[in-house]
């Protein structure tokens, strides 16, 4: 017997047929002998619609009321799934975030979970009942409903798995796992059996959209084993080796786990791309101590996140600074830098939204040299110009013209030997 948290995303519960099919899946998991708790998202499209209502009434709406409105999507699904489970003969009960409770901080619209009392649910599960928990929500110190930020029900599921000391958190979605890259761009992309938390975290933060970044952070911290798998495919109930070491089955999806659990580590686990950034260059800045602070200080005060940065110094005592910001922040960044012109004294400012960030990620980079040089050579062989480079211990990212996105991702996927077949 294992204790499993099963989480179903919006497309998995998009209509009543899908909800019936989810109920069937939960039922089979329960009948295999596991203790199960379920976390659900809103039916697909519902949260967008609720957000739209708030915005239509007032773009500057009260965040507490926004939470009161947008948290209802998950509440509907939890009740419907409980009904579907009961109809299928399974003892089930729905739970809103506040009932458990999922205690959060008071940052309405983007709250963080602070503590979960799992005792009540454990008792119910041990008595054979399936709790169906509304994801994406909690209760703040002001005793009002909070929501966790878009995509937050992944985080609800991982936090619940940690609180219940579950053996695994199965995240059911519309893809059957984590791929070496986007299969829509590279048909020969390969599904990974396992990926390390740190790799998943880097991939999620640079554009892979399967899991909310925060959910991966939390899983890594709490050592929650996540499986990403499809709710659209039929197959046997996912069962792992028991504590007795006897293999009772295999897992169909991708496991996100501690690096130590991965026996055959690839040097590069995956390649991600993002078209969400824009490039900003401030040219001919007088080169003196404090210029970087003069440029980036006002941006951070205006809540503009800066990602990649290069600085190049010319012979004439001036320097050029190039960096990226989120496309949605570009207008604000321009405004801030124009206002700071008197302090920074730059010659001119150039901006370019037509860029893509391509990242290769893998824990194997810690012990293998040459990953970056392979990337640079591969791109240069295709005559793709690299505009900015940034690295971390397990990631190399480059900024290129957006028109080269597909070409670059395909070429790199082959260069690192990731193509199937
Ligand atoms: N329903 C929420 C959203 O669409 C939370 C989630 O689905 O994870 O963002
Ligand atoms: Mg999601």
């Amino acid at each position: 017997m294992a204790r499993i948290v099963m989480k179903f995303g919006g497309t998995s519960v998009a209509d009543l047929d899908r909800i019936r099919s989810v109920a069937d899946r939960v039922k089979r998991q329960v009948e295999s002998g596991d203790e199960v708790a379920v976390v659900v998202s809103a039916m697909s499209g519902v949260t967008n619609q609720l957000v739209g209502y708030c915005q239509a009434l007032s773009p500057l709406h009260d965040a507490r009321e926004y939470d009161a409105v947008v948290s209802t999507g998950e509440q509907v699904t939890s009740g419907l799934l409980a009904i579907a489970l009961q109809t299928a003969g399974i003892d089930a009960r729905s739970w809103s975030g506040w009932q458990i409770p999922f205690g959060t901080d008071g940052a309405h619209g983007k709250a963080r979970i602070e503590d979960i009392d799992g005792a009540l649910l454990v008792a119910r599960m041990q008595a054979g009942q399936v709790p169906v928990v509304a994801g994406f929500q909690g209760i703040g110190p002001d005793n009002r409903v909070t929501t966790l930020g878009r995509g937050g029900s992944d985080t609800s599921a991982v936090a619940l798995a940690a609180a219940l000391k579950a053996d695994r958190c199965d995240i059911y979605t519309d893809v059957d796992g984590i791929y070496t890259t986007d299969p829509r761009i590279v048909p020969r992309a390969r599904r990974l059996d396992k990926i390390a938390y740190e790799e998943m975290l880097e991939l999620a933060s640079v554009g892979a959209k399967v899991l909310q970044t925060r959910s991966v952070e939390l899983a890594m911290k709490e050592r929650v084993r996540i499986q990403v798998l499809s709710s659209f495919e039929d197959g046997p109930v996912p069962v792992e080796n028991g504590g007795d070491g006897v293999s009772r089955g295999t897992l169909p999806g991708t496991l996100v786990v501690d690096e130590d659990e991965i026996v055959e580590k690839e040097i590069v686990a995956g390649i991600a791309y993002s078209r969400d950034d824009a490039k900003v260059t401030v040219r001919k800045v007088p080169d003196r101590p404090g210029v970087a602070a003069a440029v980036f200080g006002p941006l951070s005060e205006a809540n503009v996140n800066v990602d990649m940065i290069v600085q190049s110094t010319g012979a004439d005592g001036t320097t050029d600074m190039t960096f990226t910001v989120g496309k949605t922040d570009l207008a604000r960044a321009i405004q801030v830098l124009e206002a700071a012109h008197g302090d920074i004294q730059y010659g001119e400012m150039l901006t370019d939204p037509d860029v893509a960030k391509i990242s290769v990620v893998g824990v194997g980079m810690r012990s293998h040299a040459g990953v970056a040089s392979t990337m640079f050579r591969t791109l240069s062989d295709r005559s793709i110009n690299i505009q900015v480079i940034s690295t971390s211990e397990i990631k190399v990212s480059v900024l290129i013209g957006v028109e080269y996105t597909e070409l670059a991702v395909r070429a790199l996927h082959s260069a690192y030997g990731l193509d199937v077949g």
Side-chain angles (χ1 to χ4, degrees):
M1 186 212 75
R3 182 175 290 169
I4 310 287
V5 170
M6 301 171 79
K7 183 258 168 176
F8 295 92
T11 51
S12 301
V13 291
D15 55 37
L16 296 182
D17 278 340
R18 298 288 317 149
I19 289 176
R20 280 191 203 96
S21 138
V22 163
D24 187 49
R25 210 172 270 278
V26 171
K27 178 177 177 171
R28 284 188 287 132
Q29 192 87 40
V30 170
E31 287 176 347
S32 82
D34 289 341
E35 269 176 22
V36 174
V38 181
V39 174
V40 289
S41 291
M43 295 161 82
S44 74
V46 167
T47 308
N48 284 346
Q49 187 182 40
L50 296 170
V51 171
Y53 288 156
C54 297
Q55 258 152 9
L57 280 179
S58 163
L60 294 175
H61 48 258
D62 184 324
R64 287 161 294 194
E65 302 312 338
Y66 166 95
D67 280 348
V69 174
V70 301
S71 61
T72 58
E74 273 71 11
Q75 199 175 325
V76 170
T77 324
S78 64
L80 291 176
L81 182 56
I83 294 174
L85 281 165
Q86 290 168 358
T87 307
I90 296 288
D91 183 10
R93 184 62 62 207
S94 70
W95 298 82
S96 292
W98 62 268
Q99 289 176 298
I100 293 178
F102 273 63
T104 71
D105 65 15
H108 283 279
K110 49 175 187 314
R112 296 186 82 96
I113 299 173
E114 287 181 337
D115 66 303
I116 298 175
D117 188 348
L120 199 57
L121 293 195
V122 169
R124 299 277 187 126
M125 287 162 78
Q126 283 170 343
Q129 193 174 71
V130 175
V132 184
V133 177
F136 182 51
Q137 55 183 268
I139 182 162
D142 56 359
N143 203 30
R144 304 203 65 95
V145 172
T146 52
T147 62
L148 308 180
R150 298 305 305 270
S153 54
D154 292 337
T155 302
S156 306
V158 170
L160 186 65
L164 300 178
K165 301 197 175 14
D167 295 286
R168 212 173 58 237
C169 180
D170 283 350
I171 307 244
Y172 284 88
T173 177
D174 48 11
V175 293
D176 62 356
I178 309 293
Y179 279 73
T180 47
T181 194
D182 185 346
R184 287 169 302 184
I185 291 193
V186 183
R188 294 168 76 191
R190 187 154 45 86
R191 194 171 58 75
L192 296 163
D193 291 335
K194 289 184 179 171
I195 185 166
Y197 291 123
E198 281 167 290
E199 293 170 333
M200 193 62 238
L201 196 56
E202 291 277 18
L203 287 173
S205 67
V206 294
K209 296 200 164 73
V210 184
L211 293 174
Q212 200 203 28
T213 307
R214 204 193 276 178
S215 71
V216 186
E217 258 164 31
L218 186 64
M220 182 157 118
K221 180 162 156 266
E222 301 284 343
R223 291 290 179 255
V224 172
R225 305 170 76 240
I226 298 179
Q227 179 184 206
V228 176
L229 71 175
S230 167
S231 69
F232 289 79
E233 281 171 14
D234 291 327
V237 173
V239 177
E240 274 189 281
N241 290 348
D244 50 5
V246 179
S247 173
R248 287 182 279 136
T250 50
L251 297 179
T254 300
L255 266 184
V256 188
V257 289
D258 197 276
E259 216 181 305
D260 295 344
E261 269 199 54
I262 304 176
V263 185
E264 289 187 24
K265 293 187 189 65
E266 305 279 352
I267 297 175
V268 169
I271 300 172
Y273 64 91
S274 158
R275 301 186 181 102
D276 299 338
D277 300 298
K279 184 177 74 164
V280 179
T281 304
V282 281
R283 297 203 54 222
K284 299 218 169 287
V285 186
D287 195 13
R288 54 179 165 78
V291 286
V295 171
F296 298 117
L299 289 171
S300 97
E301 269 157 41
N303 263 327
V304 174
N305 277 332
V306 172
D307 179 25
M308 311 169 89
I309 303 178
V310 280
Q311 184 183 345
S312 53
T313 303
D316 60 351
T318 70
T319 179
D320 291 352
M321 281 189 198
T322 298
F323 53 90
T324 60
V325 299
K327 251 183 204 150
T328 49
D329 282 341
L330 180 59
R332 195 140 30 115
I334 293 173
Q335 195 184 40
V336 167
L337 291 171
E338 277 172 353
H341 184 260
D343 285 339
I344 310 172
Q345 304 242 304
Y346 54 84
E348 62 175 335
M349 172 166 51
L350 308 169
T351 59
D352 181 3
D354 297 321
V355 290
K357 182 171 66 176
I358 314 289
S359 306
V360 301
V361 170
V363 289
M365 279 181 213
R366 290 203 201 101
S367 47
H368 286 78
V371 173
S373 63
T374 301
M375 184 175 202
F376 305 152
R377 186 169 9 88
T378 305
L379 296 176
S380 103
D381 287 349
R382 303 293 188 294
S383 303
I384 299 172
N385 183 42
I386 299 172
Q387 305 179 15
V388 187
I389 301 170
S390 70
T391 64
S392 80
E393 206 190 1
I394 65 161
K395 179 184 75 183
V396 185
S397 300
V398 296
L399 197 71
I400 61 172
V402 70
E403 64 276 28
Y404 298 113
T405 309
E406 282 90 352
L407 177 62
V409 171
R410 279 192 207 112
L412 291 167
H413 199 264
S414 303
Y416 290 113
L418 297 174
D419 290 349
V420 192

